[in-house]
Amino acid sequence: MTIQEQYEHLEKTLRGYNPSADFSRIRNAFEYADQCHNGQKRKSGEPYIIHPLAVAQIVAEELNLDSESIEAALLHDVIEDTPAEHADIARLFSPTIADLVEGVSKLTRIQYATKEDEQMETLRKMLIAMSKDIRVILIKISDRLHNMRTMEYQSPEKQKQKSLETMEIYAPIAHRLGMQRMKWELEDLSLKYLDPVGYQEIVSRLDAKKTEYDMFMQKTRAQVETRLDELGIPHLVYGRVKHPYSIYRKMFSQNKNLDEIFDLFAFRVIVENVGDCYNVLGVIHDIYTPILGRFKDYIGTPKPNGYQSLHTTVMGTDGIPFEVQIRTRSMHEVSEYGVAAHWKYKQNGQGAGAEGKYEWVRRLLENQEGADAEEFIHSLKIDMFADEVFVFTPNGDVQNLPAGATPIDFAYAIHSAVGNRMVGARVNGRIVTFDHTLKNGDIVEILTSKGAKGPSRDWMKIAKSNEARSKIRQWFKKERRDENIVNGRAAFEAELKHCGLSMKDLLGPDRLPVLLKKVTYPSLDDMYAAIGYGGFTAQKAVSRMRGELQRIAKQQAEKQALEASENSSKAEDSHSPAPKQVKSEQGIIVEGLNNCLVKFSKCCTPVPGDEIVGFITRGYGVSVHRSDCPNASPERRADPALSDRWIRVSWGSDTNESYPTTLEVVAKDRLNLLLDVSAALSTTKTFVSGIQCRSTEDGFAIARIEIRVRDGEQMRTIINKLNQISGVLQVTRPSG
Ligand code: MN
């Protein structure tokens, strides 16, 4: 067929169902597209215009869409592939058509990689959400159908990729929109490239048995038609062999070969009204023996996508089972063309247009019943009338955010460290402000810096997601505390030095708890935080502690003097016990207990210098936690059921050579990141027992590093070193 003939065929098809269409506009669209694509060739070597013409033919012939859709189908690739722009089409045709073409182009631009199921579902939702006008997705599916039909000219790699995409994205959308006929063809074509051997096997077996099958179907059809004629029920009966992909799926899921597939044949009886559907069902069950448990009434309870029909499976005269579907003509149209069928009705009614957009789809869907249907309506409502926005990471992953979301929401959705270090954002390659509203399909990139000051209070007002807001709140609570601790500690240490004391004088199991009690703080960090914040002063802290230290020293001196005199009075006792030394297990002194089993908790892996607390386990001795570990939180320690199992522990002077602990590094993913991390660990002479690194979907990397360190000081050195690596956003000691 020449291009002209093909175009005339299109006009003829359109005239068949819409004689009053404006054919001069259709011709203009065709000629404009032809001119735009002039010189371009398809992979098959044919002129490019063949493709948009074929897509328009599908839109007309298979979906009977309105003339705007036909024009848009003819023009669907001009924005993407030629210099033509939205404005040109809006001016030459109409803004609506320009929007349709732009919509199709947007969907074309999306790159899919195959993902886990959840991502695929999000992608499908996004696609529907992006198609503000349902006609966009209908044209896009037609486009994909033609591309699949002509896939043989593509490279094997492209064939596989496009087929997978079709199987995972487009066929399910066609199904969701109730377009069974197109769904089947998309699936069969995809299968052909995804499993050529399996596909060929089915097709050639079906071919080989074609005569046999045809005879069976003719005979059965005649039996049914004769009976319905006798009863005077107007009808149409079709028989068909099920399509290859549905056979393929059955073979796989039931692990059967082709001969064992139960129902290879399906018959359709189309009647005039619902009453006759049930009459025909009675007739079928009278002629053939129904197979138990196979009757389904989708008229009473339609499928979520609007499908209505009666289904039954019966045993044929030759012992061959087959399925029968019984429905009215309008139910049949819905089943074949899905929402497109409704579009057609609307068009005949009040004329097509963007007004009311999805109103009719929604009404259609809301009329459905059943839990399944409800769920579908719910998801479709979210999809289409949405409180959600779908945006891409630079890697092409989809993030699902509440409508009105900003780069702040996006950054915190990736990781709180990304949000806290954010200094800017790019949307579709352009720098935007933090309060920029994200739109469906935007590609969002977050710019981070180690020097970032962190979130500001305003961010809380800008952010739309609860997730972002709560993470910002956490930051204020925590980050300020850390800052305060650092400042408070510095002030406290300076004051100590000023008074001729050192930290060593304060530590030790017999001192620190008493001293802390004196200043009424549960831990040193709490005291530092208070000093940093200004709620307490370093001078007060040191002077109170000094008073206490003097008292302790005096007490000890008296005690020693007493012991000395006792010893001398018991001079005959030659085996006097060695001066009492506090014994430690693995460097840990457990208050009141000697020689008890000590283990370090895996959740927070304390090292010397950390403030610690012990928990008496059942049978495994004392487990040592950092006092800031969530598993040793004040609430847990106060729990009456467990409170007597918490026990004071402290670091002795004879700590082990090294202790295992864990660090978590969050960084921008890049080449050689792990190499730099290893280098930093090696220059700090760190003993590494394991590194696990995973990339997040958004271009960040999270590494868990298991190391052995002598004490907290060595660890701080390592953390500092890691922090200096380019791209590293945060180094933390995980706990809890
Ligand atoms: Mn195309």
Side-chain angles (χ1 to χ4, degrees):
M1 216 180 336
T2 67
I3 290 167
Q4 269 313 313
E5 280 166 352
Q6 209 179 320
Y7 173 73
E8 276 152 26
H9 180 55
L10 172 68
E11 270 200 1
K12 198 173 149 226
T13 311
L14 178 57
R15 194 165 278 123
Y17 67 89
N18 188 3
S20 59
D22 187 339
F23 288 92
S24 67
R25 290 187 53 140
I26 306 275
R27 180 169 281 282
N28 281 344
F30 164 61
E31 280 168 359
Y32 181 72
D34 192 21
Q35 183 194 321
C36 285
H37 290 297
N38 186 27
Q40 293 176 355
K41 290 250 185 314
R42 299 203 84 211
K43 278 267 153 54
S44 62
E46 297 167 303
Y48 195 86
I49 189 68
I50 293 283
H51 168 65
L53 252 178
V55 174
Q57 184 66 36
I58 294 171
V59 166
E61 191 174 309
E62 311 227 4
L63 301 175
N64 288 186
L65 291 190
D66 61 328
S67 56
E68 279 180 337
S69 302
I70 310 280
E71 289 172 58
L74 287 166
L75 297 166
H76 83 267
D77 273 332
V78 301
I79 289 188
E80 193 59 17
D81 294 341
T82 81
E85 283 176 25
H86 182 279
D88 303 324
I89 302 174
R91 182 168 38 84
L92 291 168
F93 300 93
S94 77
T96 307
I97 289 170
D99 285 349
L100 289 173
V101 174
E102 174 108 317
V104 176
S105 307
K106 264 193 190 163
L107 300 189
T108 305
R109 263 173 242 144
I110 295 171
Q111 292 291 317
Y112 314 92
T114 181
K115 299 272 160 52
E116 57 275 34
D117 286 355
E118 204 182 313
Q119 267 280 311
M120 296 320 288
E121 180 53 23
T122 314
L123 269 173
R124 280 177 223 129
K125 279 187 183 175
M126 186 194 68
L127 235 76
I128 298 176
M130 278 176 75
S131 317
K132 289 202 195 74
D133 187 320
I134 195 85
R135 291 176 291 179
V136 168
I137 193 83
L138 297 178
I139 295 167
K140 184 66 206 170
I141 290 174
S142 305
D143 175 40
R144 176 48 60 101
L145 182 58
H146 184 247
N147 284 333
M148 287 304 296
R149 283 179 182 170
T150 52
M151 195 50 76
E152 60 196 293
Y153 301 104
Q154 298 288 350
S155 67
E157 198 183 316
K158 189 112 178 178
Q159 289 173 344
K160 280 242 155 60
Q161 183 217 327
K162 290 286 166 196
S163 299
L164 201 60
E165 198 177 290
T166 302
M167 197 65 111
E168 289 183 322
I169 303 275
Y170 289 101
I173 290 178
H175 173 73
R176 179 169 283 195
L177 297 175
M179 301 149 74
Q180 293 315 311
R181 230 208 51 70
M182 283 177 129
K183 176 204 160 202
W184 286 346
E185 191 177 346
L186 289 171
E187 285 175 344
D188 285 348
L189 288 166
S190 303
L191 178 64
K192 186 169 153 189
Y193 296 104
L194 291 174
D195 183 356
V197 177
Y199 176 81
Q200 263 320 312
E201 192 190 320
I202 293 172
V203 169
S204 51
R205 289 293 295 278
L206 292 180
D207 260 6
K209 300 212 169 190
K210 195 172 182 311
T211 327
E212 187 186 323
Y213 290 169
D214 280 350
M215 272 170 61
F216 168 75
M217 285 191 288
Q218 259 176 36
K219 191 174 110 191
T220 309
R221 196 178 136 187
Q223 283 169 339
V224 174
E225 285 193 314
T226 313
R227 269 302 261 292
L228 293 180
D229 283 339
E230 283 167 18
L231 293 165
I233 301 173
H235 61 267
L236 274 170
V237 179
Y238 307 100
R240 64 180 176 91
V241 177
K242 291 201 170 166
H243 73 121
Y245 181 66
S246 95
I247 296 172
Y248 182 85
R249 249 197 359 225
K250 277 187 185 154
M251 285 169 65
F252 265 80
S253 65
Q254 300 169 10
N255 196 18
K256 284 179 174 162
N257 65 40
L258 196 54
D259 295 324
E260 296 169 316
I261 293 297
F262 189 59
D263 43 354
L264 220 45
F265 304 95
F267 288 84
R268 268 189 208 131
V269 184
I270 316 283
V271 293
E272 290 190 338
N273 55 57
V274 175
D276 277 350
C277 291
Y278 292 94
N279 288 333
V280 171
L281 180 74
V283 170
I284 301 285
H285 282 181
D286 188 40
I287 311 178
Y288 310 101
T289 314
I291 291 167
L292 273 177
R294 299 276 304 195
F295 169 64
K296 296 202 183 74
D297 183 355
Y298 294 122
I299 292 181
T301 312
K303 281 194 184 180
N305 58 12
Y307 177 83
Q308 285 188 297
S309 208
L310 299 178
H311 286 196
T312 186
T313 302
V314 296
M315 191 56 84
T317 39
D318 307 320
I320 301 171
F322 58 90
E323 185 184 60
V324 185
Q325 303 172 347
I326 308 158
R327 51 192 179 235
T328 66
R329 183 175 301 281
S330 71
M331 288 174 193
H332 181 63
E333 297 227 335
V334 171
S335 98
E336 294 284 280
Y337 307 112
V339 294
H342 292 270
W343 181 260
K344 195 168 78 177
Y345 291 137
K346 180 182 163 71
Q347 175 181 294
N348 293 341
Q350 315 115 41
E355 97 283 348
K357 274 193 222 159
Y358 294 114
E359 225 13 68
W360 53 280
V361 183
R362 180 159 61 180
R363 244 181 291 121
L364 157 75
L365 293 164
E366 275 173 351
N367 286 334
Q368 315 299 333
E369 279 166 13
D372 212 359
E374 218 166 272
E375 196 186 71
F376 179 69
I377 293 159
H378 178 73
S379 72
L380 214 92
K381 266 185 191 158
I382 290 171
D383 294 347
M384 291 186 169
F385 320 107
D387 326 322
E388 286 179 288
V389 60
F390 301 86
V391 295
F392 287 105
T393 70
N395 292 356
D397 280 294
V398 185
Q399 279 281 350
N400 194 350
L401 299 167
T406 64
I408 296 175
D409 296 286
F410 181 85
Y412 279 99
I414 296 173
H415 197 285
S416 54
V418 176
N420 292 338
R421 299 295 173 98
M422 173 162 83
V423 290
R426 256 199 287 263
V427 170
N428 304 327
R430 246 180 243 147
I431 297 279
V432 297
T433 53
F434 284 0
D435 60 354
H436 178 90
T437 306
L438 300 178
K439 290 191 300 298
N440 274 322
D442 279 348
I443 299 169
V444 188
E445 188 188 346
I446 299 299
L447 310 173
T448 56
S449 156
K450 232 180 296 192
K453 283 200 291 286
S456 79
R457 295 269 175 203
D458 295 342
W459 289 18
M460 212 101 86
K461 285 176 223 143
I462 298 169
K464 286 285 177 302
S465 62
N466 291 331
E467 187 188 4
R469 276 199 293 261
S470 94
K471 282 179 176 169
I472 296 169
R473 215 174 289 122
Q474 265 170 34
W475 184 88
F476 276 109
K477 215 168 134 194
K478 191 176 162 292
E479 203 71 2
R480 282 285 152 82
R481 183 179 147 89
D482 288 355
E483 211 171 283
N484 290 337
I485 288 175
V486 170
N487 294 336
R489 183 188 188 121
F492 179 76
E493 283 176 353
E495 182 63 20
L496 271 183
K497 207 171 163 191
H498 183 71
C499 298
L501 291 167
S502 78
M503 281 307 285
K504 274 201 192 115
D505 299 321
L506 311 182
L507 302 173
D510 53 338
R511 298 187 176 183
L512 193 58
V514 189
L515 294 175
L516 285 171
K517 203 172 261 173
K518 203 71 201 165
V519 290
T520 65
Y521 286 99
S523 73
L524 276 177
D525 275 357
D526 287 308
M527 183 185 79
Y528 296 150
I531 295 172
Y533 171 67
F536 193 51
T537 66
Q539 288 75 15
K540 265 187 200 165
V542 173
S543 97
R544 282 189 203 171
M545 286 185 172
R546 195 155 61 154
E548 190 61 24
L549 281 171
Q550 282 164 352
R551 202 183 57 75
I552 293 171
K554 200 175 150 207
Q555 222 173 32
Q556 275 180 345
E558 282 169 4
K559 204 170 151 197
Q560 271 167 11
L562 193 69
E563 276 171 8
S565 69
E566 272 178 8
N567 282 348
S568 60
S569 69
K570 291 179 191 168
E572 68 275 16
D573 186 0
S574 55
H575 297 286
S576 69
K580 198 173 181 200
Q581 205 184 349
V582 203
K583 274 198 71 183
S584 78
E585 281 297 328
Q586 303 197 57
I588 293 289
I589 297 162
V590 181
E591 188 176 89
L593 291 172
N594 267 337
N595 293 328
C596 76
L597 194 61
V598 163
K599 60 163 195 157
F600 295 91
S601 75
K602 292 241 166 27
C603 50
C604 56
T605 56
V607 300
D610 288 335
E611 286 174 50
I612 47 178
V613 60
F615 183 75
I616 304 168
T617 64
R618 293 188 198 281
Y620 298 99
V622 171
S623 123
V624 178
H625 291 265
R626 267 154 51 194
S627 45
D628 61 351
C629 174
N631 290 329
S633 63
E635 297 83 57
R636 279 185 173 231
R637 279 188 253 174
D639 182 351
L642 302 170
S643 59
D644 54 344
R645 292 170 65 189
W646 290 103
I647 187 165
R648 271 196 230 282
V649 294
S650 55
W651 297 102
S653 50
D654 51 347
T655 51
N656 293 355
E657 204 124 279
S658 71
Y659 291 84
T661 189
T662 310
L663 292 177
E664 187 183 82
V665 179
V666 180
K668 281 210 103 152
D669 208 356
R670 63 174 169 84
L671 209 64
N672 294 337
L673 175 71
L674 218 48
L675 207 67
D676 291 349
V677 168
S678 315
L681 293 168
S682 141
T683 54
T684 51
K685 298 200 168 47
T686 310
F687 181 87
V688 181
S689 37
I691 296 187
Q692 295 160 23
C693 190
R694 65 183 172 88
S695 299
T696 71
E697 6 177 273
D698 323 288
F700 290 87
I702 298 169
R704 258 182 105 87
I705 308 172
E706 283 159 35
I707 52 172
R708 297 190 69 97
V709 296
R710 195 171 52 247
D711 55 16
E713 198 156 320
Q714 190 193 357
M715 184 151 59
R716 270 188 292 281
T717 313
I718 297 166
I719 291 178
N720 280 340
K721 197 80 193 172
L722 290 171
N723 261 318
Q724 285 162 18
I725 298 171
S726 139
V728 168
L729 300 174
Q730 179 181 290
V731 182
T732 50
R733 298 179 61 189
S735 62

